[in-house]
Amino acid sequence: MSNYGDDNSRRGDDDSERGLGYQQQQQGYGRQQGYGQQQGYGQQQQGYGQQQGYGQQQGYGQQQGYNSPGPRPGSNMVGASQYGGNAPGSDYSQEELEEKERSDRNKKYGMAAAGVAAAAAGIGGALFYGHHKKEEREEEERKEKEEEEEEQRKRREEEERRRQQQQQQQQQQHHQQQQQHHQQQQQQQSGWKSPGTDSAYGGSQHTQGGNQGSGFRPPAPFGRPPYSFDQNDVRNADPSRSSDNSPTPREYPQLRQTGSDSAIKIGSIVAFKHNMTGRFLHTDRSHSTESGSNQQLVFGFRWSPDENDWWQVLPANQDQPVPGSIVNFGTQIRLRHLETGRHLHSHYNFRDSRSGQNEVTAYGDQSRSDENDHWVIERWGDGGYGSTWNSHDVVVLRHYVSGMSLHSHDILISEDVQSVTCFGPGGEENDKWRIQCQ
């Protein structure tokens, strides 16, 4: 320090002569402050690093070189090499700049990391969405496959049902053909003649308007004597042909005729119109017989059908045809009244109060029926056994137990109540009925 001070003293004398000491003092050049000994600025006024703590508080000793005699090799002052220690704006140390640089790098790295994270999140979201859509597609494909399998199962069931139905129809037709053949054999062995010429039928006395009868000879019931058509020849119903322990279904689907389909089937809904008088076969809960049977009265009523004129075609007790099977002439059927649920019925021992003929009633219900509810459907004139019963045919309804036919005439029980009975072999005009489909 002493050598440095002497040099400065000598240099200060020279500078005093040139008038530069004050200028160097004003500009504060760290390396040319030889005025330190003459004016004491280096120790008294410009010792800022010691007296005012600038070196610690504001860093002047390092940044502006106020306490430094000049630049030294290896100095870490910014701007020292460029501006000689008084670099303008050089307010940051090397450590601070490095710290700032690290901070900037960290920010860049952070931003890059955030970008990478965002990209990764986007890729993850895309992968999740793609996986979710894949699951949805797989679920839709699974449902479509299940629906297709269900449709195939239903088609197989429908095909099986149709096959069984066709098989049952074939069996039924075979049975009817055998029955028809047997009936024809019995008919040939009976030796009956046409009702118009055979006195056993009453000759022509049961015909009207010169008609000599239908000419049809009904076969005898299986295992029973031929029909006598005599009201005193009392025949009882076979108990084994009742609804007791019968496999016949209690109900059948109700079928309405559509379009050009004229075939009558098991389940068809029909109304019967008397050919001679035009009145419809009718029953209701407000009319009962007067004979003592106290059953629901059946009679001819008015000339257009109402809700009490409709009947459903059903199979005989113990029979099990497929619903919708076509009915052929010669088949035993039952007719169930649609409104009251009772069956068209006739019997011996109870007579119509006006004509004395066997009465016709509505009897039983869905779970109660006997053989007196059985009727054989025949085509007028030839019976038509084995042929299809069509809606345009004129028919005879023959009571199976007695052999007599459903009959009506101009006898009125009361106003609009025309007598309906069971009478004769079925050769009269008054035995003819036409049907109307619903």
Side-chain angles (χ1 to χ4, degrees), residues 248-255 257 263-272 310-316 321-328 331-338 343 375 377 389 397 435-437:
T248 306
R250 295 289 187 262
E251 294 184 63
Y252 276 80
Q254 296 180 8
L255 304 180
Q257 301 300 108
I264 305 303
K265 305 173 183 65
I266 295 296
S268 292
I269 307 300
V270 297
F272 291 88
W310 298 104
W311 306 78
Q312 185 180 21
V313 179
L314 298 176
V322 176
S325 298
I326 293 175
V327 179
N328 292 332
T331 303
Q332 291 185 56
I333 61 171
R334 289 179 297 159
L335 294 170
R336 180 180 292 165
H337 190 240
L338 208 60
H343 302 100
W375 300 80
I377 185 70
W389 176 18
L397 285 168
I435 68 169
Q436 182 170 327
C437 295

Side-chain angles (χ1 to χ4, degrees), residues 157-407:
E157 290 179 352
E158 180 65 18
E159 291 174 357
E160 179 65 18
R161 186 188 66 80
R162 289 178 180 176
R163 187 188 65 79
Q164 292 179 356
Q165 183 174 356
Q166 290 175 355
Q167 185 177 0
Q168 290 175 350
Q169 289 178 347
Q170 290 174 356
Q171 292 175 351
Q172 182 181 8
Q173 290 175 357
H174 179 68
H175 175 71
Q176 289 175 347
Q177 289 173 357
Q178 288 181 333
Q179 181 180 6
Q180 179 181 359
H181 178 70
H182 181 68
Q183 289 173 344
Q184 289 174 350
Q185 286 181 337
Q186 285 188 334
Q187 181 176 340
Q188 292 172 358
Q189 294 172 1
S190 66
W192 288 353
K193 298 179 181 180
S194 169
T197 59
D198 193 336
S199 60
Y201 288 90
S204 61
Q205 62 180 345
H206 295 293
T207 62
Q208 293 182 355
N211 190 309
Q212 298 300 310
S214 68
F216 173 68
R217 294 175 294 181
F222 291 123
R224 305 180 195 182
Y227 293 125
S228 65
F229 310 109
D230 184 355
Q231 289 178 300
N232 297 318
D233 180 14
V234 177
R235 302 184 180 209
N236 295 317
D238 184 353
S240 66
R241 299 277 288 166
S242 70
S243 58
D244 294 340
N245 301 318
S246 173
T248 306
R250 295 289 187 262
E251 294 184 63
Y252 276 80
Q254 296 180 8
L255 304 180
R256 270 75 176 178
Q257 301 300 108
T258 57
S260 59
D261 184 10
S262 62
I264 305 303
K265 305 173 183 65
I266 295 296
S268 292
I269 307 300
V270 297
F272 291 88
K273 183 176 183 179
H274 190 239
N275 190 65
M276 285 296 293
T277 63
R279 293 182 183 268
F280 280 88
L281 190 68
H282 181 101
T283 188
D284 56 47
R285 293 184 176 88
S286 61
H287 291 83
S288 298
T289 62
E290 300 174 351
S291 62
S293 67
N294 296 321
Q295 295 179 5
Q296 191 169 290
L297 181 66
V298 172
F299 54 95
F301 186 70
R302 297 189 179 172
W303 299 271
S304 59
D306 65 14
E307 67 275 7
N308 285 307
D309 295 339
W310 298 104
W311 306 78
Q312 185 180 21
V313 179
L314 298 176
N317 292 313
Q318 306 297 326
D319 291 346
Q320 302 178 69
V322 176
S325 298
I326 293 175
V327 179
N328 292 332
F329 288 120
T331 303
Q332 291 185 56
I333 61 171
R334 289 179 297 159
L335 294 170
R336 180 180 292 165
H337 190 240
L338 208 60
E339 187 68 21
T340 64
R342 301 185 184 279
H343 302 100
L344 186 67
H345 181 94
S346 186
H347 42 219
Y348 288 97
N349 303 325
F350 294 98
R351 307 287 179 87
D352 176 74
S353 60
R354 299 295 187 272
S355 65
Q357 299 169 357
N358 287 355
E359 71 178 7
V360 175
T361 65
Y363 168 79
D365 52 38
Q366 292 181 355
S367 59
R368 188 161 50 105
S369 175
D370 62 24
E371 196 180 31
N372 279 325
D373 300 337
H374 292 189
W375 300 80
V376 179
I377 185 70
E378 297 174 352
R379 184 169 60 201
W380 166 262
D382 61 359
Y385 278 34
S387 301
T388 299
W389 176 18
N390 291 300
S391 57
H392 53 75
D393 290 319
V394 179
V395 300
V396 172
L397 285 168
R398 187 176 305 283
H399 189 241
Y400 181 72
V401 174
S402 68
M404 299 183 188
S405 60
L406 186 69
H407 181 93

Side-chain angles (χ1 to χ4, degrees), residues 147-161:
E147 290 176 356
E148 184 177 356
E149 290 176 351
E150 180 66 17
E151 289 179 359
Q152 291 177 354
R153 184 187 64 80
K154 289 181 179 179
R155 284 196 294 268
R156 288 194 298 268
E157 290 179 352
E158 180 65 18
E159 291 174 357
E160 179 65 18
R161 186 188 66 80

Side-chain angles (χ1 to χ4, degrees), residues 28-41:
Y29 283 88
R31 298 176 61 184
Q32 300 176 1
Q33 292 182 5
Y35 232 62
Q37 290 184 355
Q38 296 180 5
Q39 297 184 1
Y41 274 72

Side-chain angles (χ1 to χ4, degrees), residues 3-21:
N3 293 335
Y4 185 71
D6 293 339
D7 291 339
N8 281 341
S9 297
R10 286 192 298 270
R11 199 179 292 130
D13 293 339
D14 294 335
D15 291 339
S16 298
E17 294 175 359
R18 296 186 183 91
L20 296 175

